[in-house]
Amino acid sequence: DAMVIQNPRYQVTQFGKPVTLSCSQTLNHNVMYWYQQKSSQAPKLLFHYYDKDFNNEADTPDNFQSRRPNTSFCFLDIRSPGLGDAAMYLCATSIGPQETQYFGPGTRLLVL
Amino acid sequence: AQSVTQPDIHITVSEGASLELRCNYSYGATPYLFWYVQSPGQGLQLLLKYFSGDTLVQGIKGFEAEFKRSQSSFNLRKPSVHWSDAAEYFCAVVRSNDYKLSFGAGTTVTVRA
């Protein structure tokens, strides 16, 4: 089945130690999104790629970076995780910017 | 800016009873509306969507939603809930200015036996 895959499902890192979260898709969608979701809150968009064009949200901290080496993969890099970055990170894809977004299962990040 | 409001933070319903979750949107033209469900520790699963056409939309897991322009609402319903329906439900709208999803705050549904 075509889908959005996120690895790992759970990630534990230390304060200040860089971490990379991975997302892949078999849907061949043009747009890939990264969201941060804290407990009991709605997802918050960090950035998205429309093909190779990177679009950063104005309030996304510089600590968060992203890479999309090809259509199928997108990575979220957190350069120096703080305790406040502990959250669920959700990847989503869509055919186009206003089309339906399909979400992966998420990666739960814990910062010690 | 377009947005959605989910007035109910938490709803408790008995298994087998009906469920209705409210969603109100602010938008000038016909919005693109979605309902997603999120089980604990999981990602968001699309239940249904409305872009145009028939205002009563059928989704997965026995859910349906009705678009009512006069009330600016897109309420989600299920005639008989199952224990597995306990989850967080998010209503969302695509914003016309930047095509990004704007989520409501979510409604937590608890199902009691």
Side-chain angles (χ1 to χ4, degrees), chain B residues 29-77:
Chain B
T30 300
Y32 287 7
L33 291 160
F34 305 84
W35 274 101
Y36 287 91
V37 61
Q38 185 176 34
S39 297
Q42 301 296 315
L44 275 67
Q45 182 181 21
L46 179 69
L47 285 175
L48 47 79
K49 61 186 177 183
Y50 175 78
F51 284 6
S52 65
D54 193 346
T55 56
L56 184 62
V57 181
Q58 300 298 320
I60 63 171
K61 304 185 177 188
F63 284 92
E64 66 177 26
E66 187 169 11
F67 173 69
K68 292 186 177 179
R69 185 187 300 278
S70 61
Q71 299 178 18
S72 297
S73 69
F74 188 56
N75 294 348
L76 182 71
R77 299 191 294 255

